Amino acid sequence: MRKGILTVLIVFTVSFIAFAGYLLYYIISTSNDFSEKVVIRNEGEIIKTIEVSNLSLVPSESKVYEIELVSIHEGKFFVTLDYEELENGGLSEFVFVSIKLDDGIEYYNGYLQDLFGDDLLLNMCFESNVSQKIIITYSMPVEVGNEAKHTYSDFNINIIIKRNAGE
């Protein structure tokens, strides 16, 4: 009888440790994901900085990030995404980036390293208190080999929002 209870207790303990280990792995692996909400409350310029630290991917892996924008004012706005590289860990030349709005309009398809040199300008129309999402997907192609091993990237995304004065 005691042997049966001991066996059940051992199996339960091992199962619990395995589940806790998986949960810890999941939390650590998704800790770099972000979902940010920016509320446009005034007619002037708004600047919001989002920090992306230690972005790392393996071939065929991708990470999706969402930036939700909500304006209390209706109208057209210029939204600029200014990528600022903080530390080059070698990853930027291997990562493919897709930037699109939730309505399907695609603004950028290219490599991360190319975003560090140029600002990306998005023309967006807002209805009052209706959110729109900017969906950013970072992915590493399957063809990338060992040259991308142990690479990472640290950067900021400066979001600059200005009212379109020409409307």
Side-chain angles (χ1 to χ4, degrees):
M1 181 74 176
R2 283 188 175 189
K3 208 173 213 181
I5 293 174
L6 186 59
T7 303
V8 169
L9 198 59
I10 290 173
V11 169
F12 176 76
T13 304
V14 169
S15 298
F16 181 75
I17 290 172
F19 176 74
Y22 173 77
L23 188 62
L24 182 62
Y25 168 77
Y26 178 78
I27 290 170
I28 290 172
S29 67
T30 60
S31 66
N32 290 330
D33 294 351
F34 66 79
S35 180
E36 190 73 37
K37 184 173 184 175
V38 179
V39 178
I40 304 166
R41 296 189 190 281
N42 61 36
E43 302 271 340
E45 182 177 276
I46 299 165
I47 299 173
K48 173 78 173 173
T49 300
I50 298 173
E51 297 178 15
V52 180
S53 61
N54 201 20
L55 175 67
S56 60
L57 297 167
V58 296
S60 78
E61 182 182 18
S62 64
K63 292 187 178 182
V64 178
Y65 301 102
E66 293 181 354
I67 302 169
E68 183 179 2
L69 301 176
V70 179
S71 177
I72 61 170
H73 304 287
E74 290 188 12
K76 296 179 182 177
F77 290 84
F78 295 119
V79 178
T80 304
L81 301 180
D82 175 25
Y83 275 72
E84 175 189 6
E85 186 172 35
L86 300 176
E87 187 172 348
N88 182 0
L91 183 72
S92 63
E93 67 184 273
F94 303 110
V95 173
F96 189 78
V97 181
S98 170
I99 300 175
K100 63 183 177 178
L101 299 181
D102 57 356
D103 62 4
I105 297 175
E106 196 158 55
Y107 279 94
Y108 182 79
N109 265 321
Y111 284 93
L112 179 60
Q113 68 184 359
D114 298 331
L115 282 171
F116 294 133
D118 298 320
D119 294 348
L120 184 63
L121 180 66
L122 291 68
N123 292 311
M124 299 179 72
C125 292
F126 288 94
E127 294 179 28
S128 182
N129 296 317
V130 176
S131 68
Q132 293 187 46
K133 291 182 183 174
I134 300 171
I135 301 167
I136 305 172
T137 305
Y138 301 100
S139 60
M140 185 178 290
V142 176
E143 301 81 29
V144 175
N146 286 338
E147 63 270 16
K149 195 172 188 178
H150 303 299
T151 59
Y152 65 95
S153 186
D154 290 337
F155 55 92
N156 286 340
I157 303 172
N158 299 308
I159 303 170
I160 305 156
I161 303 169
K162 293 182 188 177
R163 178 109 177 158
N164 182 347
E167 88 175 299

